[in-house]
Amino acid sequence: CGVSSLSTRSETRIVGGKNAAFGRWPWQVSVRRTSFFGFSSTHRCGGAVLNKNWVTTAGHCVDDLLTSQIRIRVGEYDFSHVHEQFSYVERGASKKIVHPKYNFFTYEYDLALVRLESPLDFDLHISPICLPATDDLLIGENATVTGWGRLSEGGTLPTVLQEVTVPIVSNDRCKTMFLRAGRHEFIPEIFLCAGHDTGGQDSCQGDSGGPLQVKARDGHYFLAGIISWGVGCAEANLPGVCTRISKFVPWILENSI
């Protein structure tokens, strides 16, 4: 888990980010909603591959959908191209499990698991991410967020997967940053915050549910967070807030066997 077999080189949004290299984040998925007639699907959120049968995303991404409305696209890179180096795979969902404590109003426990209708075949561009091995708070670590969310608040949607690196901050500092911006936010330990005081780089609408990944000392990436909520996009003192996955490893393992 947590290893990219393809290029680890970035090409030269998420906001303030850049195009990811093809296959660099092989666990990234597009959580999609089927059209009314079921002939097509549209991108709704991000997510991450946990194993051949399960992906994880944010609770708010699937809570209001019937299982039959959920489609999961794996190995995708550029929405505008059908033919790429390796083609994407799309699966229906056979089960969804939203965390029983998920709170629609506070976004606490904003986590869900989706079981695919048939197992994935791992490939160079499709593989799982590792789960956190410790309960380390990761303060000061650089994390990468990825997704097809808007390039600015209310702005355009990219077709190519975007990536941006942001520092993880302590929950106390996160609260202080929000206060500086005039907002009093409740940031319990089940949340993880990442962002710069000055803003400029952040996740945005459409990135929710996607992975916030950290590279461990052994070189493998693990799922530190699932993108949950924010105020605006990339504004000063308004960091992005994720569901802190180290708090949920037992629940994930218990439900995704």
Side-chain angles (χ1 to χ4, degrees):
C1 63
V3 178
S4 168
S5 303
L6 292 169
S7 169
T8 55
R9 171 186 57 83
S10 288
E11 295 171 357
T12 272
R13 224 140 300 213
I14 291 230
V15 182
K18 59 190 172 190
N19 289 357
F22 179 88
R24 181 170 187 184
W25 311 107
W27 41 83
Q28 173 80 44
V29 306
S30 167
V31 176
R32 307 173 74 82
R33 179 180 182 154
T34 56
S35 66
F36 183 72
F37 296 107
F39 296 128
S40 62
S41 62
T42 51
H43 173 76
R44 190 176 219 219
C45 281
V49 176
L50 294 174
N51 56 46
K52 291 188 175 188
N53 292 302
W54 291 87
V55 301
T56 185
T57 186
H60 76 265
C61 289
V62 295
D63 187 47
D64 62 334
L65 297 182
L66 299 171
T67 304
S68 59
Q69 293 177 295
I70 301 169
R71 301 283 296 175
I72 304 292
R73 190 175 286 187
V74 190
E76 176 62 287
Y77 176 66
D78 185 346
F79 289 156
S80 67
H81 283 86
V82 176
H83 302 291
E84 294 173 355
Q85 267 176 279
F86 300 93
S87 59
Y88 67 77
V89 173
E90 197 166 300
R91 293 274 195 276
S94 64
K95 186 177 186 179
K96 72 165 186 180
I97 306 173
V98 176
H99 196 284
K101 291 186 177 178
Y102 165 61
N103 187 316
F104 173 78
F105 300 101
T106 65
Y107 277 43
E108 290 172 89
Y109 299 92
D110 189 16
L111 186 63
L113 300 168
V114 176
R115 185 181 174 92
L116 306 177
E117 62 186 355
S118 59
L120 294 170
D121 293 317
F122 292 151
D123 206 333
L124 292 174
H125 67 314
I126 298 174
S127 62
I129 191 169
C130 304
L131 290 171
T134 68
D135 205 14
D136 186 349
L137 295 178
L138 304 173
I139 297 163
E141 292 277 355
N142 279 325
T144 304
V145 289
T146 47
W148 290 275
R150 297 190 184 279
L151 302 178
S152 61
E153 188 174 355
T156 56
L157 288 163
T159 63
V160 173
L161 182 66
Q162 300 291 301
E163 64 174 56
V164 71
T165 301
V166 284
I168 294 173
V169 300
S170 72
N171 288 31
D172 283 342
R173 183 170 166 209
C174 185
K175 282 184 265 197
T176 302
M177 289 168 74
F178 276 117
L179 279 171
R180 271 194 231 129
R183 298 188 66 95
H184 186 83
E185 300 289 348
F186 177 54
I187 310 289
E189 281 301 307
I190 52 171
F191 287 147
L192 176 156
C193 299
H196 298 278
D197 291 352
T198 52
Q201 295 175 312
D202 195 8
S203 52
C204 205
Q205 298 101 340
D207 290 320
S208 290
L212 176 132
Q213 49 245 322
V214 172
K215 195 173 192 174
R217 288 194 178 89
D218 65 4
H220 293 240
Y221 281 94
F222 64 90
L223 186 64
I226 285 284
I227 300 166
S228 178
W229 62 275
V231 178
C233 302
E235 293 178 34
N237 290 310
L238 294 175
V241 184
C242 298
T243 300
R244 186 186 293 275
I245 294 300
S246 63
K247 299 289 185 190
F248 296 95
V249 171
W251 183 81
I252 291 169
L253 293 174
E254 188 182 313
N255 288 284
S256 63
I257 303 301

